[in-house]
Amino acid sequence: GGGRGTTASRSWSGRRGGRWRRGGGTGLELQGRARRRDVHYQTWANASALGSRGDRGESTSASRSGGPDEVEAVGVASTWRAGSPYDSEIFTLALPALFSVLIDPLMSIVDTAIIGRIGVNELAGTGLAGLLWASFTVALFSFLATAVTPLVSGANARKDADSVSRTICVGLWLALSIGTALFALKFAGARWFLENVFTSSPEVVGNAMRYLDCRIFSVHATLAQLVCIGALRGLKDTRTILWATVAANALNCVLDCLFIFGFGWGVAGAATSSAISTTLSCGLLLSALVRRGVLRPGDLVPPPSLEEGAPVLGAGIALSSKSVVTMYTVGLASQAIASLGAVSLAAHEIIKQLFFFCYIAVEPLSVAGQSLVAESLGRRQVSRARGIAIRLVQLAVGLGATMGLLIYFLGPRIVHVFTKDAEAVRIALTVLGVVCFFQPLDALMLAQEGVLLGAREHAYISRSVIATSLTCFCALYLVTRTLGLPYTLLHVWLCVKILTMGRILFSSARLYASRHSPILVAAEAEAKEEINL
């Protein structure tokens, strides 16, 4: 759906006798359709020259005008005004997404407070199991949402209901397959992993295993929920996600109190409540997709072929590889900080909470970018995609700068709320300036990568993040291991920020300087070939 090497040549609605039927034109015609998405790309100079037409939403087809030079465009300068015609769409998507991502950490704090009343070992075991659960579900397989979003958005923009349903079904089958594999791995190696990798005490491992024994039954719902979230984002519906999140977390809190304090189930009760609430959320999202008619249950049978799942699976391999390398680099940084002692580790936890709060506040702009850019490219409205990208960058940098100023002026007071230890406060304040300075840059990185994800540049993002992570890894290893010089928390944070600078460099190069940019440049040879076709 919507690009080279996709599944445009197959149609689920064209099944006969339980077999896939090829449809939608000859191979040459399909190749031409895939290229049409790229015909309207042009340079910044053309964008400025044709700006007034782009503002009115007019477009000129290369095939109609007789050449690829005349394309639809938007006035770049006009996009940088205080107001933008894209603000309404951006905020309609971003605000519900913001509330959704804020609810989860808040409910996690409530969860932690409830479980903490049981005992220290129970809290430690639940935290350890939660870390393992998050790493092997959300972190590694978040591509089930990220890859589905642009595919669904592009197909929906083309009003291709068959491709929308097909893409969601492919994601659900992948979720089922991955969930089954994780279910088996849990019983085969979870205890060994907890004992040898985390090297925890037997009491903590026992509680962690009790948690996983109950939580594992919701693994399929957890992964299927990611697919539903990606599909709804692609349909520009983040409100349904918000309401499902609110309902699931509210139920989780009620069941936590009932199972832990009422029934006395302890850690198992906490896991059971999480499993039930996740299943409820998944059910609500699935039912919303079915009611809207975008997910046709009949398309789930027979299962998709490997070729059908290639777009989502290919993006998954790229994004999962990126996640593994990044997690390993961050793990090395955590080890380096831990070796500095408890005071530095405490200061790091305070700064990390401030950083993640600001990160979460900007992330919804990336979500909006994925959906809106994919929709625009699906309609072959490259000028609109370009205008949205520019506006997202503007909003992200502005929001990041605002967050940075807030941390700069309020940060010292916030640090004193977390701890009264003078040395921990001193160390935290030495790093606070770095966090403030990098807030606009972190926001810029998220916005630009959101645009690239909407354009399905998953492989490029993966390569760039892996290259940057390796550079960061080398810097950390050089500072903490090779040179053997004394280092501080500030040095570690500066090394980690190489990730931000590298990702900005790579994403900027792709968007603004590359001939393969999804929003700026078209290959003239391909445009001419499209005209000939």
Side-chain angles (χ1 to χ4, degrees), residues 82-171:
S84 169
Y86 309 115
D87 285 354
S88 177
E89 284 187 286
I90 291 173
F91 288 119
T92 298
L93 285 170
L95 289 179
L98 173 62
F99 290 124
S100 295
V101 298
L102 287 177
I103 286 172
D104 279 333
L106 289 175
M107 290 300 103
S108 178
I109 292 173
V110 175
D111 241 3
T112 302
I114 294 173
I115 298 169
R117 295 177 65 105
I118 309 174
V120 175
N121 287 328
E122 286 80 2
L123 181 59
T126 302
L128 189 61
L131 176 62
L132 188 64
W133 179 265
S135 299
F136 282 90
T137 54
V138 179
L140 279 180
F141 302 112
S142 60
F143 71 85
L144 289 170
T146 307
V148 165
T149 296
L151 290 171
V152 169
S153 184
N156 187 58
R158 298 189 304 273
K159 302 188 184 301
D160 187 352
D162 291 339
S163 291
V164 171
S165 179
R166 176 183 64 209
T167 300
I168 299 173
C169 290
V170 167

Side-chain angles (χ1 to χ4, degrees), residues 2 7 10 12-13 20 47 125 167 170 185 216 229 241 270 276 279 293 336 354 452 470 479 500 512:
T7 58
R10 289 185 180 269
W12 279 24
S13 62
W20 302 114
T167 300
V170 167
L185 284 174
I216 193 63
I229 290 173
I241 301 171
I276 293 174
T279 304
L354 291 174
L452 289 174
L470 291 176
V479 170
T500 298
Y512 313 128

Side-chain angles (χ1 to χ4, degrees), residues 184-505:
L185 284 174
K186 182 269 167 191
F187 291 101
R191 179 174 289 277
W192 177 90
F193 196 88
L194 290 169
E195 291 175 346
N196 293 276
V197 176
F198 289 104
T199 61
S200 302
S201 65
E203 294 81 5
V204 173
V205 170
N207 283 301
M209 287 301 300
R210 278 190 287 275
Y211 183 91
L212 291 175
D213 285 341
C214 298
R215 188 71 188 271
I216 193 63
F217 289 99
S218 66
V219 65
H220 297 93
T222 301
L223 297 174
Q225 180 180 241
L226 291 174
V227 177
C228 296
I229 290 173
L232 287 167
R233 286 176 177 175
L235 297 169
K236 301 200 299 184
D237 180 8
T238 52
R239 292 186 179 183
T240 299
I241 301 171
L242 172 61
W243 297 128
T245 303
V246 170
N249 280 284
L251 178 65
N252 184 49
C253 289
V254 173
L255 293 180
D256 263 345
C257 295
L258 178 63
F259 294 158
I260 294 174
F261 302 128
F263 297 165
W265 291 356
V267 171
T272 302
S273 66
S274 295
I276 293 174
S277 61
T278 300
T279 304
L280 169 69
S281 177
C282 179
L284 291 174
L285 297 177
L286 279 173
S287 63
L289 291 171
V290 173
R291 284 198 311 270
R292 293 178 60 165
V294 294
L295 173 59
R296 302 166 183 170
D299 286 342
L300 285 166
V301 181
S305 65
L306 184 62
E307 182 182 356
E308 291 287 337
V312 178
L313 192 58
I317 293 173
L319 296 176
S320 295
S321 301
K322 177 203 75 171
S323 298
V324 169
V325 174
T326 303
M327 284 192 296
Y328 185 81
T329 304
V330 173
L332 178 63
S334 300
Q335 289 180 359
I337 293 170
S339 66
L340 292 172
V343 177
S344 292
L345 188 58
H348 168 69
E349 286 300 316
I350 296 171
I351 296 299
K352 187 177 72 172
Q353 293 302 319
L354 291 174
F355 166 75
F356 276 122
F357 177 80
C358 297
Y359 189 93
I360 286 174
V362 180
E363 189 179 13
L365 290 176
S366 177
V367 172
Q370 293 175 41
S371 178
L372 295 176
V373 169
E375 178 191 49
S376 299
L377 295 181
R379 293 176 178 172
R380 307 185 190 118
Q381 296 174 342
V382 181
S383 66
R384 183 172 181 270
R386 178 165 57 249
I388 290 170
I390 295 171
R391 187 57 175 170
L392 283 169
V393 167
Q394 182 183 15
L395 292 172
V397 173
L399 180 58
T402 302
M403 301 298 291
L405 289 173
L406 286 175
I407 293 177
Y408 181 79
F409 290 108
L410 300 179
R413 295 184 180 181
I414 296 174
V415 170
H416 281 91
V417 172
F418 280 96
T419 180
K420 300 299 181 183
D421 186 274
E423 183 63 13
V425 170
R426 185 191 67 80
I427 295 174
L429 292 180
T430 62
V431 185
L432 195 65
V434 175
V435 177
C436 297
F437 176 79
F438 274 93
Q439 279 307 308
L441 299 176
D442 287 322
L444 174 63
M445 175 197 73
L446 282 173
Q448 293 187 161
E449 288 192 349
V451 173
L452 289 174
L453 287 171
R456 297 174 57 196
E457 295 278 354
H458 305 106
Y460 179 83
I461 291 176
S462 177
R463 292 194 300 268
S464 65
V465 172
I466 289 174
T468 306
S469 296
L470 291 176
T471 306
C472 177
F473 174 85
C474 292
L476 281 168
Y477 200 86
L478 184 67
V479 170
T480 62
R481 304 282 181 88
T482 304
L483 295 180
L485 298 175
Y487 63 91
T488 65
L489 181 64
L490 176 62
H491 297 132
V492 177
W493 268 84
L494 288 173
C495 290
V496 170
K497 285 305 174 182
I498 293 175
L499 286 170
T500 298
M501 297 306 299
R503 291 167 72 173
I504 289 175
L505 178 64

